[in-house]
Amino acid sequence: MHIAIIGCGVVGAAIAYELSQVPGLKITVFDLKPPAQASTGAALGVLMGIISHKTKGKAWRMREQSIATYEQWIPKLEAVSGRKIPFNRQGILMLLTPEEISKGAQWENLAAIRAKQGWQLEVWDTAKLQQACPQLNTEQITGAVYSPCDRQLDPTTLTLALVDAAMSNGVSFKFGVEVNGFSSHNIETSAGKISVDKVIVSAGLGSTRVTAHLNQKIDIRPVLGQAIHFHVGHALGNPDFQPAITGNDVHIVPCGAGIVPATDYWVGATVEFPNTEGYSLPPDTELLESVKQQAISFCPELKNATITRTWSGLRPRPEGRPAPIIEKLPGYSNILVATGHYRNGVLLAPATAVTIREMII
Ligand SMILES: Cc1cc2nc3c(=O)[nH]c(=O)nc-3n(C[C@H](O)[C@H](O)[C@H](O)COP(=O)(O)OP(=O)(O)OC[C@H]3O[C@@H](n4cnc5c(N)ncnc54)[C@H](O)[C@@H]3O)c2cc1C
């Protein structure tokens, strides 16, 4: 069976890797750019699985499955690809602000649910927080939730390693090749036409255009996110305890976790919705400034750090329906869609890949 995958962000690459382990499949991946250039290339790679409020149903199962799968994937991918994947095994620390104090009881409840599900979640008071993370200004913080099993990773290195591993299992990648259209058994690309047995659309924002001509348009809209790279020059707080820190929807992420000592941090990201026609607006400098100021208020040392880079990317968000979309395209038994992962594509890539494999075999 010949399967075409359209799009090689983290989702398409994860699907290619997962399917590459199924005997008897011929797989070709198309991307108009090199891998991990679109939304994936802008992502912070924070994997908020256990600390999410989802406790049941598909949304929880996919998070749980992805967190567990990454533990297996990362060492395998590093061995096959020879790449070191920055993978922060020190968990995620969520700072609780006064706005969230009213939700305090929910965190205790969630910790109890997670314990029953076999996962650990700790609710900390400010004394414990200050002891663990002396870099934090706890004036505006009422406590924290520590999730030791959640992770953060470098989405670009991960995607490149997935491509390497899939390639070593025989997958063919066509970069710089745009898919202009397809029918049930043919793909039309900028490099010619090929016949296939199944098509998987994992083209992120491009999914709208590639499905439009089939009269089953998948409406994916861009939600812009901006982020900042800070060079501090040394670790903030305890060099031996460098979790990804999050508060008021702002992440402070140590760079190169598990590979190099923390000296640099990513901070982000803004959430900027498109206009009513679905077109992205220019990046809002005030919103980026407010993300920066929020990070500095949590961690005052960042004020003296050097900003080496700012960047932005577009998150693929399904219009009018929950993210992500993983299904057969209505009316087409051999076209599968895995797209619209919005804010959690890196987190959900492994579970998406497994779901697609289960739909195919
Ligand atoms: C600033 C920012 C921070 C984020 N932080 C996180 C985070 O911490 N954790 C998390 O889980 N997620 C995060 N995300 C979200 C995450 O980046 C996305 O959900 C994820 O990258 C989506 O992956 P994808 O493979 O579906 O899409 P993409 O990475 O956008 O890949 C789609 C690919 O399809 C290709 N393509 C499109 N059309 C065609 C065509 N016609 N022919 C050939 N190829 C085509 C594109 O070139 C592209 O390479 C963040 C996003 C942003 C912008």
Side-chain angles (χ1 to χ4, degrees), residues 185-203:
H185 293 288
N186 283 307
I187 296 258
E188 284 160 38
T189 77
S190 51
K193 198 169 171 178
I194 60 159
S195 49
V196 293
D197 301 296
K198 279 193 196 296
V199 181
I200 298 162
V201 180
S202 52

Side-chain angles (χ1 to χ4, degrees), residues 7-184:
C8 194
V10 67
V11 173
I15 294 169
Y17 173 60
E18 183 69 19
L19 294 184
S20 75
Q21 295 164 76
V22 178
L25 298 183
K26 179 180 175 193
I27 301 160
T28 310
V29 183
F30 298 93
D31 200 304
L32 59 97
K33 299 183 201 160
Q37 297 287 302
S39 193
T40 302
L44 301 179
V46 180
L47 312 177
M48 298 182 70
I50 313 308
I51 208 167
S52 84
H53 286 283
K54 311 285 181 192
T55 57
K56 54 188 181 196
K58 197 172 112 196
W60 161 243
R61 281 198 309 277
M62 286 189 73
R63 280 167 172 76
E64 182 180 41
Q65 182 176 38
S66 286
I67 293 291
T69 304
Y70 271 126
E71 294 301 322
Q72 298 164 11
W73 274 14
I74 298 297
K76 280 190 201 163
L77 292 172
E78 287 190 329
V80 176
S81 69
R83 293 176 193 272
K84 283 268 164 223
I85 303 170
F87 186 55
N88 192 334
R89 293 184 168 88
Q90 295 196 318
I92 294 180
L93 183 67
M94 180 180 287
L95 308 178
L96 302 180
T97 51
E99 295 92 334
E100 283 174 296
I101 188 71
S102 55
K103 298 182 202 159
Q106 289 177 23
W107 286 110
E108 298 288 359
N109 287 347
L110 186 64
I113 292 169
R114 290 293 185 252
K116 280 193 195 141
Q117 292 170 329
W119 298 96
Q120 198 184 343
L121 207 56
E122 300 169 14
V123 182
W124 289 2
D125 60 18
T126 43
K128 166 92 180 153
L129 178 62
Q130 262 169 337
Q131 189 195 18
C133 297
Q135 76 272 31
L136 295 173
N137 166 22
T138 51
E139 270 169 37
Q140 301 291 316
I141 298 169
T142 53
V145 179
Y146 179 52
S147 178
C149 304
D150 279 323
R151 300 284 179 258
Q152 183 275 335
L153 51 70
D154 182 311
T156 299
T157 314
L158 167 74
T159 305
L160 296 177
L162 287 164
V163 169
D164 289 342
M167 213 182 273
S168 77
N169 287 342
V171 174
S172 165
F173 286 86
K174 311 277 183 206
F175 295 120
V177 176
E178 182 169 11
V179 173
N180 298 316
F182 59 93
S183 59
S184 292

Side-chain angles (χ1 to χ4, degrees), residues 6-12 30-34 36-47 177-180 202-207 209-210 223-227 251 269 311-316 338-348:
I6 307 174
C8 194
V10 67
V11 173
F30 298 93
D31 200 304
L32 59 97
K33 299 183 201 160
Q37 297 287 302
S39 193
T40 302
L44 301 179
V46 180
L47 312 177
V177 176
E178 182 169 11
V179 173
N180 298 316
S202 52
L205 278 170
S207 306
R209 203 178 62 77
V210 290
V223 177
L224 191 136
Q226 299 181 72
H251 303 312
W311 71 94
S312 67
L314 300 173
R315 307 173 182 96
T339 191
H341 287 69
Y342 188 31
R343 300 185 74 178
N344 287 305
V346 187
L347 168 64
L348 298 178

